[in-house]
Amino acid sequence: MTARTIVVAPDSFKGTATAGEVAQAIADGWRTVRPDDELRLLPMADGGEGTLDAFEIAVPGAIRHRVTVTGPVGHPVDASWLELPDGTAVVELAETSGITLLDPLQPYAAHTLGFGEAIVAALDHGAERLLLAIGGSASTDGGAGMLTALGARLLDADGACIGLGNAPLSTVRSADLSAARALPAGGAVILSDVTNPLLGTAGAAAVFGPQKGAHAEDVAAMDDNLRAFASLFDIDASTPGAGAAGGAGFGLLVWGATIASGAAGVGEAIGLPDAAHNAAAVVTGEGRYDAQTSGGKVAAYVAGLAPGRSMLVAGAIQASTEGLFTAAASLTELAGGVEGAMAEPLVHLRSAGAALAASFEASNAD
């Protein structure tokens, strides 16, 4: 048996296992079949929850800085940002202003002030570049809270600063960005797998508002509020990704950030393209592989880096893998059902890793 280099680069299996846990379990299973292979674990993310964890595991010398920020409806939240050795700071909106921080959800009141506060903390520390992961938000405030934390003043007809959240956007009449913090020298890059515009039927309120607690009758009003906010700036609200994270993508565009694919941005930052190029096989994974995977999700991105050498592990496989992956393993099938897969995901991930190693060995017999 000739030892080979294998890269393991999965996304998290949301609600069951982090990307790091998934990668380790797959690797453990692989080693039961091919113990001599060199396994490189590069857990991935697409800009949502777990992005900081993925960077921390994949980038040697990364330092996590703790920070207390204002949560999505005002309560203190213990969060963090990550300093990379090259001076880049990674800030994750899900940690500071995420939907998992609220129960019950508050669609009109939730805001992104804490996200902006974490960005300020990174800037104050001397960050030379920002990677801003914006998935998993609780709010639909267009990034107004984040801009406020950065020093912007959003004013009503009387010249007073408006409140936080989506609802006060209905009263905004002007914006003063003169005191806003400058971008760091290396700029700021938005990491997101969402391409929705800010407004309209495909926009932040219509598509994602219901996930954040908005009722059907709330959507039009929330969209109108975002429209009033967007009218203050010379930024195209139809820009793909402007509607990401309840419009936080738009707010960051106002500040001067640029948008990148979340998966590609993370992959580039952790050196995945080079690692995949030099590997005999690349194993990726996600909780559910379906028709949406091709729209920028981690599994499709990773497969594109290693055509003809990619393998898939998924909680459930609901779309054809033919032509994209040389082999695939479904936890649902291995466990005999969804409940079993959810109950012991790491057990079945190890089984999946072993199954893919056996498939690899069969197709690469020496």
Side-chain angles (χ1 to χ4, degrees), residues 173-188:
R173 296 295 180 270
S174 63
D176 179 3
L177 303 182
S178 61
R181 297 291 294 264
L183 290 170

Side-chain angles (χ1 to χ4, degrees), residues 197-218:
L198 179 66
L199 306 171
T201 56
V207 175
F208 305 112
Q211 300 172 11
K212 301 172 187 183
H215 297 295
E217 58 270 24
D218 298 323

Side-chain angles (χ1 to χ4, degrees), residues 9 36 51 119-120 144 153 181 199 236 258 267:
D36 296 328
T51 298
I119 294 172
V120 168
R153 299 178 70 240
R181 297 291 294 264
L199 306 171
D236 187 355
T258 57

Side-chain angles (χ1 to χ4, degrees), residues 26 34 55 68 71 81 89 96-97 113 131 137 141 151 166-167 171 186 188-189 205 269 274 277 301 303 322 341 359:
I26 292 171
R34 293 182 59 86
F55 273 99
T68 299
W81 61 275
T96 62
S97 311
L113 183 69
L131 295 177
S137 78
D141 75 342
N166 176 276
T171 66
V189 179
D274 285 344
H277 177 75
Y301 165 71
E322 188 175 352
S359 175

